[in-house]
């Protein structure tokens, strides 16, 4: 959420930033709502001041035995009391109106974010590794998995409908190995603290990271009013909600391997075959809580942590700087890691790392205090995939495919596979 004071002082900058994001200007309407609210607050304060003054005048009139004046003042106080009740309710309405309007405004991109409309305007930052050089034909992951008899979309559809999968046997173990490998890497070498967070959260938690209200149609909602997390970012970032941290505690770095749940309401007809876009999938999430001075460096660090997963798996990928029109709602700057999938003959996103500035912290009321200073500042938050486990499984299957249809296990995963070096069709 943006600061209304900043908007009043930078109306042109806000509208320019929104235009770069492909959104309509909003500064004038926000300032109008805020001005109405401020005028009403002043009116409310004037009424409260007059009520307090009249109450004192009643005492003075009674002391003078001026009962007529006292009665008039009592009548005025009674009228003011009734008017104040109505004015306080109106103030709450205006506060809510402003908060709702601010909650719908996306974050402001950093100055070095490329300006563009959609993914076609994203910029390649670097390309790492080499595409596999084969003599045999590439296959998509679902063809590989179904031929192995270990990836079952038909049964999953009978159980749950479309966009689900049943993994069996060696492929199920390979998927588990990928998640364990990523967690071990991030906790033992990258300094992240492992967390097992709730998968169900309240409205205010989903609001805190920007999922609500804008993206409610993409979330699963339970009958008791909770939301299934679309990413562990929601739970991990809110670990510091409504807290004042000591500056010495920062940065805080959290990681979690969780199921994630997305309705994919806006993805009708996209990636309908296979595991690329599912309602339920596993992901290793990275979250950092920093101060205002170091959040930019933390984005570079977080991105390198996600890259290390792909490097150790021996996967070819590229790093993309997302343009203003392709960034997420809460992000100020985002890098996507796109892994090469030989079966598709295309790069596909496997991780997205974003710095959000104080946008989420304002929604969560998460702040920090520097030693020796009286005031507090809003924290800066970052999140990234470290990485999406299902998509990593797809990438391993397609990049390590052998001519006979088996899949070689990458060296980095061998300690997790119980001696298994190849995924082959069983009897």
């Amino acid at each position: 959420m943006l600061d209304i004071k900043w908007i009043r002082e930078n109306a042109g900058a806000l509208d320019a930033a929104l235009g770069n994001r492909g959104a309509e200007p909003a500064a004038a309407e926000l300032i109008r709502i805020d001005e109405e609210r401020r005028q009403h607050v002043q009116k409310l304060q004037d009424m409260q001041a007059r009520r307090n003054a009249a109450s004192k005048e009643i005492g003075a009139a009674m002391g003078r035995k001026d009962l007529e004046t006292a009665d008039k003042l009592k009548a005025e106080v009674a009228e003011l009391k009734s008017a104040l009740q109505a004015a306080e309710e109106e103030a709450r309405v205006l506060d809510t109106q402003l908060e709702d309007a601010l909650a719908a405004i996306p974050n402001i991109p950093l100055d070095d974010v490329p300006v563009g409309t959609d993914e076609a305007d994203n910029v390649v930052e670097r390309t790492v590794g080499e595409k596999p050089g084969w003599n045999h034909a590439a296959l998509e992951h679902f063809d590989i998995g179904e031929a192995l008899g270990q990836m079952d979309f038909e049964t999953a559809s009978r159980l749950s409908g479309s966009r689900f999968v049943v993994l069996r046997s060696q492929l199920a173990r390979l998927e588990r190995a990928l998640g364990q490998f990523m967690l071990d890497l991030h906790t033992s070498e990258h300094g992240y603290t492992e967390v097992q967070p709730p998968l169900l959260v309240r409205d205010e938690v989903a609001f805190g990271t920007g999922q609500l209200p804008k993206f409610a149609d993409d979330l699963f909602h339970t009958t008791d009013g909770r939301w299934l997390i679309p990413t562990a970012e929601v739970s991990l970032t809110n670990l510091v909600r409504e807290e004042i941290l000591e500056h010495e505690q920062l940065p805080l770095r959290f990681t979690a391997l969780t199921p994630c749940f997305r309705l994919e309401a806006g993805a009708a007809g996209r990636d309908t075959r296979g595991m690329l876009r599912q309602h339920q999938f596993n992901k290793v999430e990275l979250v950092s809580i920093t101060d205002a001075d170091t959040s930019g460096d933390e984005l570079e660090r977080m991105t390198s942590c996600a890259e290390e997963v792909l490097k150790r798996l021996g996967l070819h990928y590229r790093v993309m700087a997302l343009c203003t029109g392709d960034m997420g709602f809460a992000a100020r700057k985002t890098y996507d890691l796109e892994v090469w999938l030989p079966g598709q003959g295309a790069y596909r996103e496997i991780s997205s790392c974003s710095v959000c500035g104080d946008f989420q912290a304002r929604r969560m009321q998460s702040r920090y205090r520097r030693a020796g200073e009286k005031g507090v500042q809003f924290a800066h938050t970052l999140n990234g995939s470290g990485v999406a486990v299902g998509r990593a499984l797809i990438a391993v299957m397609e990049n390590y495919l052998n001519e006979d249809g088996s899949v070689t296990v990458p060296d980095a995963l061998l300690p997790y596979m119980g001696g298994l070096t190849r995924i082959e069709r069983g009897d």
Side-chain angles (χ1 to χ4, degrees), residues 214-397:
K214 186 175 178 62
F215 302 105
D217 289 344
D218 288 321
L219 306 181
F220 285 97
H221 196 217
T222 66
T223 55
D224 66 352
R226 294 180 175 89
W227 303 87
L228 282 165
I229 60 169
T231 164
E233 170 203 346
V234 178
S235 301
L236 294 180
T237 309
N238 276 276
L239 290 176
V240 296
R241 69 175 293 108
E242 298 174 359
E243 286 194 23
I244 298 178
L245 304 165
E246 298 302 327
H247 184 255
E248 292 74 16
Q249 295 176 258
L250 304 178
L252 295 172
R253 298 184 177 113
F254 305 119
T255 186
L257 168 60
T258 68
C260 304
F261 306 90
R262 296 183 186 175
L263 274 169
E264 297 288 357
R270 296 179 60 192
D271 301 314
T272 54
R273 289 201 67 189
M275 288 181 59
L276 267 167
R277 196 179 297 276
Q278 297 208 295
H279 291 313
Q280 175 186 321
F281 58 95
N282 293 324
K283 181 158 67 78
V284 172
E285 186 70 10
L286 305 175
V287 161
S288 296
I289 313 296
T290 74
D291 62 19
D293 300 325
T294 60
S295 60
D297 291 339
E298 186 70 12
L299 175 61
E300 304 299 326
R301 182 189 188 278
M302 177 180 284
T303 304
S304 70
C305 291
E307 284 187 76
E308 189 62 25
V309 172
L310 304 184
K311 289 177 181 178
R312 297 204 186 183
L313 291 174
L315 297 171
H316 170 58
Y317 68 93
R318 65 186 185 183
V319 180
M320 306 293 292
L322 298 197
C323 71
T324 53
D326 199 33
M327 288 199 309
F329 178 79
R332 297 205 71 189
K333 182 177 182 178
T334 298
Y335 292 122
D336 270 8
L337 307 187
E338 296 183 344
V339 69
W340 176 252
L341 299 184
Q344 286 198 5
Y347 293 96
R348 298 302 300 262
E349 178 201 335
I350 195 169
S351 172
S352 188
C353 298
S354 299
V355 59
C356 300
D358 62 7
F359 187 84
Q360 293 177 324
R362 288 180 181 277
R363 299 167 81 100
M364 299 186 304
Q365 289 299 300
S366 174
R367 294 159 291 174
Y368 66 90
R369 178 191 296 111
R370 293 182 185 270
E373 295 184 4
K374 292 183 179 180
V376 295
Q377 300 179 56
F378 284 105
H380 279 211
T381 63
L382 302 95
N383 63 81
S385 307
V387 297
V389 179
R391 293 197 174 195
L393 177 65
I394 292 170
V396 167
M397 291 173 66

